[in-house]
Amino acid sequence: MPRAIWSGSISFGLVNVPVRMYSAISEHKLHFHFVHEPDQSPIGYQKVCKLEDKPVPDDEVVKAFEFEPGEYVFMEDEDFEAARVEGYKTIEITDFVPYEQVDPIYFAHTYYLGPEEGGEKVYTLMLRALEDSGLSGISKFVMRDRQYLGALRVRDGVITLEQMYFADEIRPLDEIKPVRTQVSKEELAMAEQLIDNFAGDFKPEKYKDTYRDALCEIIRAKRAGKEVHRAPETEEAAPPDLLEALRASIEAAGGGRARSRRTRASRNGSRRDLAGLSKAELDNRARKAKIPGRSRMSKDELIEALSEAA
């Protein structure tokens, strides 16, 4: 069982769902240490006062905000508690929106929300209501002295919280947008064909962290006393003619075009595949397939409509 990193409740109208928050991500990072090479002892760090140039004990370290250069306002735990706003100990839902309307650039981190002991029934009620609606609950919450925007959704039978950025935290694109240039119809058609050759369904298990694997091999080789040689650098080739590069890429992709057509034809899924999906997932597919009257359909009717649209 992972360790809970936050506890509080989901606030929905007058309903409160007590929950515990868990990180949904367990990154496969390699952790490196700084050591003193001659004696292989770890390098330690101390909190040093820059004015006195000597270590400072923990009980003399306080949080402070630099209001003006050189002018600090000292903060205590009670000061942060005094700034209680919406979402201080709750994930307060303000709106329900279609999940696909949220630009992924707003997503920062994913958390799982599990029920507190004794709160399983109200948690299940919230989960089922979210799942059947096919909508995401936009909310606010405070964690580690900072307020966040969040999106609640259901993933594999668990309420999931997507920690989000606020709109004013997203940098504008004006300075980096390219100047609009003309492309020929032939270039555009070939680029679209190249994309079509690689089109398919997202399969996350297909992608591996090859850089980490390569580092692990190097670590094992060095541990065994083997020499590790740096790969020779290759000279960058001159930019090729765009049309020639597109033609060569399409030829290298081979029969991808026919394969991608088959993929799109079966994208809505067979009856057997569709039967294993939740009503919310079926409704999402029906929305993308632009099936009329989907909001009034039962699960079986959605499966029937999606099968016919395949």
Side-chain angles (χ1 to χ4, degrees), residues 6 48 79-80 89 115 118-119 121 125 147 152 157 180 194 199 206 208 218 235 245 247 265 271 287-288 301:
W6 184 93
V48 176
D79 298 320
F80 292 100
K89 285 297 288 183
K121 181 174 182 179
L125 175 64
Q147 188 178 62
L152 292 167
R180 297 283 290 185
L194 182 59
K206 171 183 174 182
K208 306 296 181 183
I218 290 171
E235 292 185 8
R247 287 193 186 98
R271 287 178 183 273
R287 187 182 294 111
K288 291 178 179 178
E301 288 171 337

Side-chain angles (χ1 to χ4, degrees), residues 113 115 123-124 127 131 153-160 278 281:
L113 300 178
Y123 178 94
T124 302
L127 187 151
E131 193 171 39
R153 65 187 180 94
V154 176
R155 181 180 186 273
D156 295 336
V158 172
I159 297 176
T160 302
S278 68
E281 291 168 324

Side-chain angles (χ1 to χ4, degrees), residues 272-285:
R272 181 181 299 176
D273 295 334
L274 293 170
L277 300 177
S278 68
K279 188 175 184 298
E281 291 168 324
L282 291 168
D283 184 67
N284 187 41
R285 292 199 182 196

Side-chain angles (χ1 to χ4, degrees), residues 23-181:
S23 177
I25 308 300
S26 176
E27 295 184 89
H28 296 156
K29 288 184 178 179
L30 295 177
H31 297 281
F32 294 92
H33 303 269
F34 287 106
V35 298
H36 187 215
E37 188 175 8
D39 56 18
Q40 299 186 19
S41 60
I43 301 295
Y45 294 91
Q46 290 182 318
K47 296 173 183 175
V48 176
C49 174
K50 292 183 179 180
L51 181 64
E52 299 175 343
D53 194 26
K54 64 180 184 181
V56 177
D58 287 341
D59 60 1
E60 293 183 10
V61 177
V62 297
K63 285 185 179 180
F65 181 83
E66 191 172 14
F67 200 85
E68 297 284 351
E71 179 190 344
Y72 292 96
V73 177
F74 299 131
M75 301 291 288
E76 300 178 3
D77 292 342
E78 292 79 8
D79 298 320
F80 292 100
E81 292 174 5
R84 295 187 179 188
V85 292
E86 69 269 31
Y88 181 72
K89 285 297 288 183
T90 61
I91 300 168
E92 190 166 336
I93 299 174
T94 58
D95 302 283
F96 288 94
V97 303
Y99 184 71
E100 61 271 17
Q101 287 185 4
V102 184
D103 189 329
I105 197 172
Y106 288 98
F107 296 145
H109 201 87
T110 304
Y111 298 99
Y112 291 144
L113 300 178
E116 283 275 18
E117 188 175 348
E120 291 82 3
K121 181 174 182 179
V122 67
Y123 178 94
T124 302
L125 175 64
M126 181 75 192
L127 187 151
R128 289 287 303 277
L130 266 178
E131 193 171 39
D132 290 347
S133 72
L135 300 175
S136 176
I138 303 301
S139 55
K140 285 183 179 180
F141 66 100
V142 174
M143 183 171 65
R144 295 167 186 159
D145 303 331
R146 184 179 172 187
Q147 188 178 62
Y148 296 97
L149 196 63
L152 292 167
R153 65 187 180 94
V154 176
R155 181 180 186 273
D156 295 336
V158 172
I159 297 176
T160 302
L161 173 67
E162 301 286 358
Q163 175 190 311
M164 301 168 64
Y165 298 109
F166 288 100
D168 59 3
E169 293 181 294
I170 306 299
R171 288 178 174 167
L173 299 170
D174 300 340
E175 294 182 2
I176 59 173
K177 269 187 180 177
V179 177
R180 297 283 290 185
T181 56

